[in-house]
């Protein structure tokens, strides 16, 4: 519905996996995720949300029910997680959504998660939302940025809790400081690299 990029990342040795920002609305979208998990014999260890705007959490309940995992996200986004239905009304959406999504595992800047032997560093990048996070995998040289940083763009800051200057600071200090060859996988649109955005992103 919003063209959200939903990611499944996994360790090929342990087959531990994380589903990030489930944006599935329709049954066939849920089926596509489930087929990928089953075909690759993956064990879903984490449900990670970069932030809790409604387009990034449509599929959270499906993942929680199917794989028996709770939401891992920043409690700084509680202003959003407790107003899911209100967010739907704001966008005039006629979809079934829960009133509230509860964060099972609070994530904070500097936290470290593991998929097998692969570390995932949690980076706080507030500005698009108060609790926006990025997930950086240094060994595999990629970062999932949610709606903080896009290919040649940045996240909008006109929604409740948004802050333009805070977002620019987050991107500059937390993301552009990553190695230049780091691949960037955003919440919408095509992938890019830190080097490309450092040089050519017109907002930076």
């Amino acid at each position: 519905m919003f063209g959200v990029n939903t990611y499944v990342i996994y360790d090929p040795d342990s087959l531990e996996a994380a589903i990030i920002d489930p944006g599935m609305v329709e049954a066939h979208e849920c089926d596509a995720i489930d087929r990928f998990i089953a075909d690759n014999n993956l064990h879903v260890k984490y449900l990670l949300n970069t932030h809790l705007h409604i387009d990034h959490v449509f599929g959270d309940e499906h993942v929680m029910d199917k794989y028996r995992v709770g939401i891992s996200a920043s409690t700084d986004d509680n202003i959003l997680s407790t107003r899911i239905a209100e967010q739907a009304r704001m966008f005039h959406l006629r979809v079934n959504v829960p009133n509230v999504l509860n964060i099972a595992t609070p994530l904070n800047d500097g936290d470290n998660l593991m998929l097998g032997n692969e570390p995932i560093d949690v980076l706080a990048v507030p500005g698009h939302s108060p609790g926006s996070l990025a997930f950086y995998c240094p060994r595999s040289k990629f970062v999932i940025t949610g709606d903080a940083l896009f290919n040649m763009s940045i996240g909008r800051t006109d929604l409740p809790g948004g802050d333009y200057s805070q977002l620019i600071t987050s991107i500059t200090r937390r993301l552009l400081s990553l190695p230049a060859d780091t691949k960037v996988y955003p919440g919408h649109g095509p992938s890019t690299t830190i080097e490309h955005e450092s040089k050519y992103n017109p907002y930076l």
Side-chain angles (χ1 to χ4, degrees):
M1 187 179 294
F2 286 85
V4 172
N5 294 333
T6 295
Y7 295 100
V8 178
I9 62 174
Y10 67 94
D11 170 55
D13 296 323
S14 68
L15 299 181
E16 291 182 342
I19 300 176
I20 303 177
D21 287 353
M24 308 92 71
V25 178
E26 304 292 341
H28 71 89
E29 296 171 333
C30 294
D31 290 343
I33 293 288
D34 295 340
R35 279 197 307 273
F36 184 84
I37 297 294
D39 290 348
N40 289 280
N41 297 310
L42 302 181
H43 166 65
V44 178
K45 185 177 181 180
Y46 300 115
L47 163 55
L48 304 177
N49 281 114
T50 60
H51 64 295
L52 296 171
H53 282 144
I54 190 169
D55 51 333
H56 291 255
V57 303
F58 277 128
D60 275 24
E61 281 198 318
H62 173 78
V63 173
M64 288 189 285
D65 292 343
K66 176 84 174 178
Y67 301 105
R68 302 302 180 195
V69 292
I71 296 170
S72 297
S74 170
T75 55
D76 288 342
D77 264 4
N78 276 342
I79 188 176
L80 301 174
S81 66
T82 57
R83 299 177 181 176
I84 300 299
E86 185 178 322
Q87 289 188 61
R89 289 192 296 272
M90 184 175 71
F91 284 102
H92 306 288
L93 302 179
R94 295 181 179 179
V95 292
N96 292 321
V97 293
N99 288 321
V100 174
L101 284 174
N102 295 311
I103 296 172
T105 303
L107 295 179
N108 299 290
D109 185 62
D111 284 350
N112 181 264
L113 308 174
M114 297 295 296
L115 283 181
N117 292 317
E118 180 89 22
I120 305 172
D121 295 337
V122 178
L123 309 178
V125 288
H128 175 65
S129 76
S132 287
L133 301 173
F135 300 110
Y136 173 48
C137 294
R139 287 189 183 177
S140 294
K141 296 184 178 180
F142 70 85
V143 61
I144 294 175
T145 58
D147 287 1
L149 178 64
F150 300 123
N151 185 333
M152 297 296 285
S153 189
I154 61 172
R156 60 188 293 183
T157 56
D158 59 333
L159 297 173
D163 185 312
Y164 178 81
S165 61
Q166 186 181 44
L167 178 59
I168 295 298
T169 298
S170 294
I171 294 170
T172 303
R173 293 182 179 175
R174 305 312 313 280
L175 298 178
L176 299 189
S177 61
L178 298 175
D181 61 347
T182 301
K183 192 90 167 181
V184 175
Y185 292 106
H188 305 266
S191 62
T192 181
T193 64
I194 291 297
E195 180 177 32
H196 181 86
E197 299 312 306
S198 296
K199 290 182 177 179
Y200 304 115
N201 191 311
Y203 294 91
L204 304 173

